[in-house]
Amino acid sequence: QVQLLQSGREAKKPGASVKVSCKASGYTFINNGITWVRQAPGLGLEWVAWINPYDGNTHSSEKVQGRVTMTTDTFTSTVYMELRSLRSDDTAVYFCARNYDSSGHLDPFDHWGQGTLVIVSS
Amino acid sequence: EIVLTQSPGTLSLSPGQRATLSCRASQSVRNSYIAWYRQKPGQAPRFLIYGASIRATGIPDRFSGSGSGTDFTLTISRLEPEDFAVYYCQQYGTSPLTFGGGTKVEIK
């Protein structure tokens, strides 16, 4: 069965960087994009960024553009998201999710990781 | 960007009752590319519906979606205990992808 297993919670100071991982299993890794969605405490869902593991193409929201880098390790079927210059409003649970279809970043998400809490506080 | 407005904010119903959730878009959603998710506290969202009306694999037929253009609806015909949760709509027709603010379905 498809599973996405994320790394554990992180606590960072403003201005620092965080790198979150998402290990996929149960399907052919390069066949589906992976998207990051975040959820600030008590709030709704926000699309953050996407990567196509097949060719490395990425796309991110305006809010994080220039601060986010996504990479993949096809040997371990793992996606990494690094977010730099952290601000307090980056505090959220970050979910990785598998794109339902393989074509581009405009997709719904059929499987989700368990979430990684990133806390940004001085 | 397309803004999705969900209503009502909270729906108070009893098990076995019918729930009707609305999702209104600020502009027409290309190809009715609307998805719905259910999220229980402390969990990741679960994929329910895509293409406005197509149930995802394993989703029971008490869930149905409808709509086109700017107005979309998720209907749960008979609420089960596990259905008391928050529901989000999402549009994936235009970048950036956006989500609605959610509707909480609570036990009356």
Side-chain angles (χ1 to χ4, degrees), chain A:
Chain A
Q1 72 282 21
V2 175
Q3 285 192 317
L4 300 173
L5 186 62
Q6 298 183 225
S7 50
R9 65 183 283 166
E10 301 268 8
K12 298 291 182 181
K13 295 193 183 307
S17 299
V18 69
K19 194 169 187 177
V20 183
S21 66
C22 172
K23 181 174 173 60
S25 61
Y27 71 100
T28 303
F29 180 62
I30 58 172
N31 282 359
N32 296 75
I34 292 288
T35 293
W36 292 90
V37 174
R38 68 183 180 183
Q39 186 169 36
L43 297 182
L45 303 167
E46 178 188 11
W47 176 76
V48 176
W50 161 86
I51 186 166
N52 183 341
Y54 176 74
D55 59 13
N57 271 348
T58 61
H59 192 63
S60 58
S61 71
E62 284 189 8
K63 203 177 270 191
V64 302
Q65 205 162 43
R67 297 194 294 132
V68 69
T69 300
M70 282 166 294
T71 55
T72 62
D73 181 339
T74 53
F75 292 103
T76 62
S77 299
T78 302
V79 174
Y80 298 91
M81 181 194 66
E82 182 181 33
L83 188 59
R84 301 178 294 279
S85 302
L86 287 167
R87 312 186 294 236
S88 57
D89 64 351
D90 291 319
T91 293
V93 174
Y94 287 74
F95 295 101
C96 63
R98 190 183 82 157
N99 284 40
Y100 178 65
D101 194 357
S102 60
S103 53
H105 71 287
L106 295 176
D107 264 337
F109 313 121
D110 61 353
H111 291 88
W112 296 64
Q114 82 277 20
T116 297
L117 175 61
V118 174
I119 299 171
V120 183
S121 173
S122 54

Side-chain angles (χ1 to χ4, degrees), chain B residues 17-19 21 62-63 74-79 83 87:
Chain B
Q17 284 194 295
R18 181 186 190 89
L21 289 66
R62 67 178 184 272
F63 290 92
L74 175 70
T75 302
I76 310 169
S77 59
R78 297 170 310 279
L79 285 164
D83 298 333
Y87 292 80

